[in-house]
Amino acid sequence: MAKKQKFPYLLGSKWTSGHKIDGWRHFQVINRKNQGKWVYAEMIASCDSNVRFWINAKLLQDRSNWQPGWQSLQEMAQTENEDVC
């Protein structure tokens, strides 16, 4: 039986960082790699293709640092307020 792939929808997904990274918040996954039990995603800033980095895909599940999709600052603030109530 084939082993189930971790993070099957990672490639091409869009993310919003809770804090600026090299001046940007919106990123897209352009590559992935498996290293042992770990899965890594190569992120690229949506507005600056020179800003790239690799991140452990598991970290993208931390909603205090990463939100799926491209969120506006207003949407991010609204999400934080809903989490507090």
Side-chain angles (χ1 to χ4, degrees):
M1 179 176 255
K3 191 174 180 181
K4 186 177 174 185
Q5 182 184 34
K6 293 179 186 177
F7 305 101
Y9 302 107
L10 188 61
L11 201 58
S13 61
K14 298 173 182 174
W15 296 89
T16 301
S17 173
H19 59 281
K20 288 184 178 182
I21 300 173
D22 288 341
W24 302 104
R25 289 185 186 271
H26 297 122
F27 297 89
Q28 186 167 2
V29 177
I30 60 166
N31 200 358
R32 67 173 283 149
K33 67 179 172 183
N34 298 320
Q35 285 189 328
K37 67 177 188 170
W38 302 109
V39 177
Y40 292 91
E42 184 178 14
M43 309 287 280
I44 186 169
S46 62
C47 294
D48 185 353
S49 61
N50 293 320
V51 177
R52 298 169 173 243
F53 60 92
W54 286 92
I55 185 172
N56 185 326
K58 189 87 170 151
L59 295 175
L60 295 173
Q61 294 177 328
D62 179 2
R63 293 294 177 252
S64 64
N65 288 318
W66 291 97
Q67 292 291 320
W70 289 339
Q71 308 286 323
S72 69
L73 290 175
Q74 260 185 339
E75 290 170 318
M76 290 174 65
Q78 185 177 15
T79 302
E80 287 176 12
N81 289 338
E82 289 172 357
D83 290 344
V84 172
C85 297

